[in-house]
Amino acid sequence: MVRPTQQLHPAREPVSVRAAATVLLLRDSEAGIEVLMTRRADVASFAPGAYVFPGGQIDAADEAAQRIATHRPTQTGLQLTQAIAAIREGFEELGVLLARHSDGRSVSAEDIASMDRSTASPVSFAEQCEKRGLRLASDQVFSLAHWITDRDLPKRFDVPFLVARMPEGQTPTADESEQFEPCWVRPADALARHAAGSFFMIFPTVRTLQRLAAYTSVDAVMKACAPTDAGEKPLWTSCPRAGLLGGQDARYMESDSPYGELALVCPDGQLLHTLDWQGEHAVPLLKNVQRLTAPNSGAMTGPGTNSYIVGDADTGYLVIDPGPNDAAHIGRLWRATQGDIRMIVCTHSHADHSPGAAPLQALCEKAKPPILGLSSAPTARSSARFAAERELRDGERLVLSGTRADGQEITHTLRAVHTPGHAANHVCLVLEEDGLLFSGDHILNGSTTVVDPPDGDMNAYLDSLDKLDAACEAGGIGFILPAHGYVIGSARAAIAQLKAHRLKREAKIASAMKKLPQGTPEDWLPLAYDDVPERMWPVAARSLAAHVARIRQLASAP
């Protein structure tokens, strides 16, 4: 848990959310699945001029209308109310009514024409249905997604995105006050038109259509959303976060690589953090943590190697991974710390992490900071040699402390965690007071690390993942700061996902080996990494070798 005193920005309470519901009305066409959309009024208080799915706020009458609604045994009372609200909004905005007569007959166009769609009607929607003996077909409405409006926005909703099949014999007609121009559109076409600037949509609509585009039929969507024995859950839930990219606001879901960094820097959702990669200036993440990215971007390093600066002017600084021997980058590290570097730590010996240590130390003329870490093992490549001035013990604590102008003591404690696997001498660091894990190359954002035998070992790598997970659980660690890529949030979930990915890849490799028992790693590689671009196969071959060694070791174990 990050100390509030280390947050960069004063906290503020996001606007409270309002309960709402939205429905995606679907139909099949020769060109594929289509969804009904409509354009919001240009003067609307939320998403003016945007193309949306029909929906709106839930009111008390929606819950009361449960008396005339059909439901599935697995639907909760809240889910039933949400379905009713979505049905009502679809009727009011587009004249589409998901309902049946008591004898099972579908609602006719004449039934709908006889009803008052106005929200100002003296007779409520439910009363009009009840008068005509109609039962709301809420049992035919299923949960697709759950969206909670971004924390930075002035108007926020907690809204399920529901799906239903468009009833036959009905024609959507906009109310011409809140909604205009109803249209049937393929998800892919809507996305293309949005990208071209002719079909404006807000972020949740875009992301929902991106997921919907993967389905070939309405039946496929309904099957994916069907309830299970465990109940009814949306396929995904998201409360997006926003940052600045290229001077414009950019929004991200939890699965997007910048999400964790935005959660760390602006936990309350304020639109303040810039996500553009640059190496000219250190990027503040907290008051006591800065990131300076080396100018060595590439296929193996992503945007570059992240050097982290921990500490403040009162405690002095510790530098993690000074990076390659790049004079400009090393000079920037020295200036960002005002030359007050107390310790330099290299997470491992690779050429993009440790060569900058000695030149950085040499710049510190007043007091030479020790270079700490684990020296290279004999298995290390000649291009990845490193000798620590002092070897870090597993569990050893490195302490920065000082006194502020107001007399308050301040401490930053980094604990070493030995994590062999990516390299035999790999070590991670835990910032104990703030629940942060500096993961070096053991955990990356946006890619999986290479495990290259003999210095890399897959058994050790997986064991170290378990060790880091235990450290996160014991220390309440919420964020991972990798050597490449943005900050990762939900630390334990990220580790679990990474381990599952590794084991899934290993299963594919084992399957390839079984299919071609007389084959070679070169034969197995295209089968096991068929989902990876061929240009990356030479790199993947290293990790394949590590997996093959582990598979054979497990097979020979008694």
Side-chain angles (χ1 to χ4, degrees), residues 361-435:
Q361 182 192 58
L363 288 179
C364 302
E365 298 178 351
K366 292 183 179 179
K368 298 293 184 183
I371 299 174
L372 310 175
L374 297 176
S375 297
S376 303
T379 51
R381 295 177 182 271
S382 59
S383 60
R385 298 290 183 181
F386 167 71
E389 291 183 345
R390 184 169 68 77
E391 305 286 314
L392 282 175
R393 301 183 307 276
D394 191 24
E396 181 178 348
R397 287 176 168 83
L398 307 175
V399 180
L400 297 169
S401 61
T403 304
R404 291 177 173 168
D406 60 4
Q408 182 181 357
E409 295 290 328
I410 181 69
T411 300
H412 312 296
T413 306
L414 288 147
R415 185 176 79 253
V417 183
H418 287 191
T419 52
H422 170 65
N425 68 328
H426 199 284
V427 61
C428 295
L429 296 165
V430 171
L431 181 53
E432 294 186 330
E433 289 88 353
D434 296 302

Side-chain angles (χ1 to χ4, degrees), residues 512-525 548 552:
M513 294 170 68
K514 185 176 181 179
K515 184 176 182 179
L516 301 173
Q518 304 304 317
T520 65
E522 290 75 18
D523 300 322
W524 301 327
L525 183 65
V548 168
R552 287 172 170 166

Side-chain angles (χ1 to χ4, degrees), residues 147-409:
W147 288 96
I148 303 165
T149 305
D150 318 30
R151 297 164 181 83
D152 64 297
L153 295 178
K155 197 170 186 179
R156 304 181 64 217
F157 299 95
D158 185 323
V159 51
F161 277 41
L162 308 172
V163 290
R165 194 183 299 271
M166 177 68 181
E168 294 183 5
Q170 297 189 32
T171 302
T173 305
D175 61 15
E176 300 295 329
S177 59
E178 294 185 21
Q179 307 295 338
F180 302 84
E181 304 171 16
C183 60
W184 288 100
V185 60
R186 292 175 59 246
D189 291 340
L191 293 168
R193 291 164 63 185
H194 172 73
S198 62
F199 200 82
F200 169 63
M201 297 183 292
I202 60 175
F203 182 80
T205 309
V206 171
R207 286 303 184 91
T208 300
L209 289 174
Q210 288 173 344
R211 303 275 183 107
L212 192 64
Y215 296 96
T216 58
S217 67
V218 177
D219 283 343
V221 177
M222 295 305 180
K223 182 178 180 181
C225 299
T228 66
D229 294 339
E232 303 195 19
K233 293 183 179 180
L235 301 185
W236 73 90
T237 297
S238 181
C239 179
R241 290 183 177 275
L244 297 169
L245 191 65
Q248 303 294 320
D249 67 75
R251 300 190 179 270
Y252 302 94
M253 292 175 65
E254 289 78 354
S255 57
D256 297 326
S257 59
Y259 191 91
E261 182 156 322
L262 295 171
L264 173 66
V265 181
C266 299
D268 56 10
Q270 296 183 72
L271 185 54
L272 297 170
H273 186 59
T274 298
L275 293 164
D276 301 276
W277 287 104
Q278 52 80 27
E280 296 298 317
H281 307 284
V283 175
L285 300 174
L286 296 171
K287 289 181 180 178
N288 59 333
V289 179
Q290 303 173 68
R291 178 184 65 217
L292 185 61
T293 303
N296 62 334
S297 60
M300 296 298 295
T301 57
T305 301
N306 293 330
S307 299
Y308 290 102
I309 302 168
V310 179
D312 54 51
D314 296 314
T315 64
Y317 300 90
L318 181 151
V319 174
I320 301 171
D321 282 341
N325 188 359
D326 182 283
H329 178 66
I330 293 165
R332 293 182 191 111
L333 284 171
W334 184 82
R335 288 189 293 275
T337 60
Q338 296 86 48
D340 187 10
I341 300 175
R342 308 295 174 90
M343 290 170 273
I344 300 171
V345 179
C346 296
T347 61
H348 60 296
S349 54
H350 289 169
D352 59 325
H353 290 260
S354 63
L360 179 60
Q361 182 192 58
L363 288 179
C364 302
E365 298 178 351
K366 292 183 179 179
K368 298 293 184 183
I371 299 174
L372 310 175
L374 297 176
S375 297
S376 303
T379 51
R381 295 177 182 271
S382 59
S383 60
R385 298 290 183 181
F386 167 71
E389 291 183 345
R390 184 169 68 77
E391 305 286 314
L392 282 175
R393 301 183 307 276
D394 191 24
E396 181 178 348
R397 287 176 168 83
L398 307 175
V399 180
L400 297 169
S401 61
T403 304
R404 291 177 173 168
D406 60 4
Q408 182 181 357
E409 295 290 328

